[in-house]
Amino acid sequence: MKDILERFLFDKAPVRGELVQLDATYKEVLARHQYPLVLQRIIGELMAASALLSAMLKFDGTLIMQMHGTGAVQLIVIEFTSERTMRATARWDAEKIQTFGPGSSLAELLGRGRFMITLDPTVGEAYQGVVGMSHGQSVAQIIEHYMATSEQLETRIWLACSEHNSANKMAAGMMLQKMPAEPDETQSYEHLVTLAETVKPEELLDLSAREVLYRLFHEDSVRVFDPTTPRFACSCSRHRVAGMIKLMERDEVDEVLVERGNVHIVCDFCGKEYEFDAVDIGALYAGSPETGSVQ
């Protein structure tokens, strides 16, 4: 099954929807780090949710989802761009996370946590919304609360991720969103949500997007648009890493050079390695183009 992001509308109801299935993209993220099984599920759900949310918000730039915690999971970051590229990373306590099973809740894994959504447009200033973890026990519930409070849009989300012992790792999700309507049209949204509630996780993961929509809404008039294809891509580069190094105090960087012989940076998202020797660092702080190459 290929990666797909499908947009749809209902002709006779003030409701729009998105359905996403992530196969290769999800596998690419999992291949970058040895994520614990329980964390793989959360990452997959967040990836699917970020694709759905980005498609609904429709802006040029990057949508960034961040979860910070004090428990077994300390950080999860998902980035989804308007070009339909995606990357993800996470940090966790290896000892603590061993005590959690595959069905552990998000709240249990994060401890005291917070969830942030940042919209970083290509042009203009970034906007950030913070959602308290007390507003839901799952990724779907937290984002539904965010949409209701920050965007004033009634939204329902269904997310699915392959079982922890599955050989074929996939993540998927579906979203329904209520649009402005006349007073006598409000029941249509509830009707469609009731139908969508019957969807099973294995259907979102195993059936094609069109099959899922037909199974749920074949008695309603659904208009489906041309799908797009999400894909994994990392925006790191030697130039960006050099800029990050330059933000550090020169004395700190020189200490690293003395101790290790070079400055070695590994991208958290894709694992690409960058090395800067003393000549590179000297040129960097002198304002010259950095030398060297990706290692």
Side-chain angles (χ1 to χ4, degrees):
M1 184 178 292
K2 67 178 182 179
D3 295 34
I4 191 169
L5 182 58
E6 189 94 67
R7 176 174 169 246
F8 56 95
L9 293 172
F10 294 90
D11 291 330
K12 298 180 181 179
V15 180
R16 61 184 177 182
E18 296 278 350
L19 196 153
V20 65
Q21 293 174 322
L22 301 174
D23 184 1
T25 307
Y26 182 45
K27 289 186 177 76
E28 283 279 1
V29 167
L30 296 185
R32 307 291 161 167
H33 298 283
Q34 293 296 317
Y35 293 113
L37 294 173
V38 67
L39 186 51
Q40 291 181 18
R41 173 176 58 84
I42 302 299
I43 291 173
E45 290 182 356
L46 280 168
M47 288 176 64
S50 68
L52 295 170
L53 199 58
S54 181
M56 285 293 190
L57 294 175
K58 294 180 184 176
F59 78 108
D60 291 329
T62 303
L63 180 144
I64 305 167
M65 287 186 177
Q66 298 179 67
M67 283 192 171
H68 297 260
T70 59
V73 176
Q74 300 155 353
L75 175 69
I76 305 175
V77 182
I78 312 291
E79 294 185 6
F80 192 92
T81 75
S82 51
E83 300 297 319
R84 301 292 185 260
T85 64
M86 181 182 295
R87 64 179 190 168
T89 189
R91 296 176 190 166
W92 64 95
D93 185 306
E95 185 174 340
K96 288 182 180 179
I97 208 164
Q98 291 178 5
T99 64
F100 293 92
S104 300
S105 72
L106 189 59
E108 291 173 326
L109 288 165
L110 286 170
R112 292 196 311 274
R114 58 194 173 115
F115 178 42
M116 295 184 294
I117 294 180
T118 303
L119 303 179
D120 188 9
T122 304
V123 178
E125 296 184 0
Y127 164 81
Q128 186 174 83
V130 180
V131 184
M133 299 299 294
S134 61
H135 296 294
Q137 293 296 308
S138 68
V139 171
Q141 290 173 348
I142 292 169
I143 295 177
E144 287 169 358
H145 176 79
Y146 169 81
M147 295 301 291
T149 56
S150 298
E151 304 295 328
Q152 286 76 53
L153 293 171
E154 195 169 346
T155 305
R156 289 298 307 276
I157 298 174
W158 296 265
L159 301 172
C161 202
S162 301
E163 292 296 325
H164 67 281
N165 58 356
S166 173
N168 184 29
K169 298 289 186 179
M170 278 193 63
M174 183 174 67
M175 176 187 286
L176 292 184
Q177 195 169 79
K178 182 179 178 181
M179 298 185 291
E182 297 298 325
D184 60 351
E185 291 182 311
T186 55
Q187 190 63 36
S188 298
Y189 174 73
E190 300 302 329
H191 163 69
L192 294 171
V193 167
T194 299
L195 294 177
E197 286 282 11
T198 66
V199 72
K200 298 180 177 62
E202 55 267 26
E203 291 174 327
L204 286 173
L205 294 166
D206 298 336
L207 300 180
S208 70
R210 299 292 173 95
E211 286 176 310
V212 173
L213 294 178
Y214 179 79
R215 177 217 172 282
L216 295 174
F217 309 118
H218 62 274
E219 293 184 355
D220 298 272
S221 181
V222 183
R223 194 176 350 146
V224 182
F225 296 84
D226 291 337
T228 57
T229 304
R231 60 185 177 86
F232 175 86
C234 189
S235 58
C236 74
S237 67
R238 186 173 178 83
H239 177 73
R240 290 192 175 191
V241 173
M244 180 184 69
I245 294 173
K246 200 170 181 180
L247 293 174
M248 300 171 62
E249 293 293 335
R250 177 65 188 268
D251 289 345
E252 295 179 42
V253 178
D254 285 341
E255 286 180 11
V256 174
L257 285 173
V258 170
E259 180 182 345
R260 302 180 183 177
N262 59 51
V263 177
H264 183 250
I265 306 291
V266 180
C267 176
D268 287 338
F269 290 94
C270 70
K272 187 177 291 185
E273 300 180 33
Y274 298 89
E275 284 192 0
F276 294 77
D277 60 21
V279 174
D280 299 329
I281 296 300
L284 180 62
Y285 281 93
S288 303
E290 66 275 6
T291 59
S293 60
V294 175
Q295 300 298 312

